[in-house]
Amino acid sequence: MEKKHFNYGWMIVLYGALVMSTLHYTCFNSFGLFVVPVTEGLSVSRAAFSMTMTCGSVASLLFAPLTGDLLAYKNVKRCMILGMIVSGLSIFLEGFATAVWQLCVLTVLLQLASNFALALPFSILMLRWFGRRSSFAMSLIFVGISLGGVLFASPLTALIGAAGWRMAYRVIGLVIMCLVAPLGMLVIREHPEGMEDEAEKRGMRAAAGQRPVFDRALYK
């Protein structure tokens, strides 16, 4: 009887859930925790502060198709790590903002960078590692979004109350840059064993100016 081998893709699933519970939560779901302290600290209206998130969301939506094309041509792992580092740096710098327009610029940068670190690149990796079961793997990764609210909402609220919103942004940014991103360098693997040659061929086609074609049959 043939022995079943452990699918390393499950390690990437666990890491994906961690990324969603930290980066996704701090990018999007924790916005409400900062509304009152930031608007009071900068003496701006809540509408002005909310506009920063709106601008970031619109920029992210417009940039999403280009993100997909870049990930198709480039090394997914490299793009993910860079996206996480830029995202963490953007959050860290928000802790030094003195005007709402600075928060707007940093939020746009954050959400553009997060395109390379969240759902889209993980969906590519899950298709490579799980094939037809990739949807199930992605659903487990998305559990991390809800998990982030359960695990981090109370500690983050306490941190804002004790040290202020600026310190909270800096701590979040440092955690993403110094913990989440480096862990990804160790955990993420681009392809299952034996698929590297096909990936190299697609890279050569891309270098020759041909649009890469993803063959789903390779990842059954």
Side-chain angles (χ1 to χ4, degrees):
M1 181 180 294
E2 184 180 354
K3 293 183 179 179
K4 290 185 178 180
H5 297 285
F6 173 71
N7 187 344
Y8 183 82
W10 292 116
M11 296 298 295
I12 303 177
V13 169
L14 289 175
Y15 176 70
L18 172 66
V19 173
M20 290 296 175
S21 66
T22 53
L23 180 54
H24 189 285
Y25 177 75
T26 53
C27 279
F28 304 102
N29 300 48
S30 67
F31 179 79
L33 301 179
F34 289 91
V35 172
V36 173
V38 172
T39 53
E40 291 180 353
L42 296 180
S43 299
V44 297
S45 66
R46 296 187 181 185
F49 183 52
S50 298
M51 186 59 65
T52 65
M53 180 62 72
T54 302
C55 291
S57 299
V58 171
S60 176
L61 182 63
L62 295 175
F63 193 70
L66 180 58
T67 303
D69 286 341
L70 289 173
L71 288 171
Y73 282 97
K74 303 297 183 181
N75 182 288
V76 175
K77 176 178 179 178
R78 205 169 295 156
C79 289
M80 289 181 71
I81 300 304
L82 180 60
M84 291 177 196
I85 292 174
V86 175
S87 297
L89 180 61
S90 300
I91 297 173
F92 179 78
L93 292 176
E94 285 181 336
F96 296 91
T98 57
V100 71
W101 70 266
Q102 296 172 352
L103 287 176
C104 185
V105 171
L106 290 170
T107 300
V108 169
L109 180 60
L110 166 62
Q111 296 208 30
L112 291 179
S114 69
N115 280 347
F116 292 95
L118 295 174
L120 183 55
F122 275 111
S123 65
I124 295 174
L125 292 176
M126 292 303 98
L127 187 57
R128 291 175 179 176
W129 282 93
F130 293 97
R132 296 173 181 173
R133 294 188 299 164
S134 60
S135 297
F136 175 68
M138 278 302 298
S139 68
L140 295 179
I141 289 177
F142 282 127
V143 169
I145 298 176
S146 300
L147 190 62
V150 173
L151 295 178
F152 301 119
S154 296
L156 186 55
T157 301
L159 177 61
I160 294 172
W165 62 272
R166 294 184 182 277
M167 181 58 67
Y169 275 139
R170 295 169 194 173
V171 170
I172 293 170
L174 287 174
V175 168
I176 293 172
M177 285 189 293
C178 301
L179 178 61
V180 179
L183 186 59
M185 297 178 67
L186 298 175
V187 174
I188 296 174
R189 295 182 187 176
E190 285 273 324
H191 303 275
E193 186 177 354
M195 294 299 178
E196 292 83 356
D197 292 339
E198 176 60 27
E200 184 177 352
K201 291 178 183 178
R202 290 201 307 275
M204 293 174 64
R205 289 197 297 267
Q210 301 177 23
R211 188 176 182 84
V213 178
F214 189 85
D215 187 355
R216 289 175 178 269
L218 293 171
Y219 300 101
K220 291 180 180 178

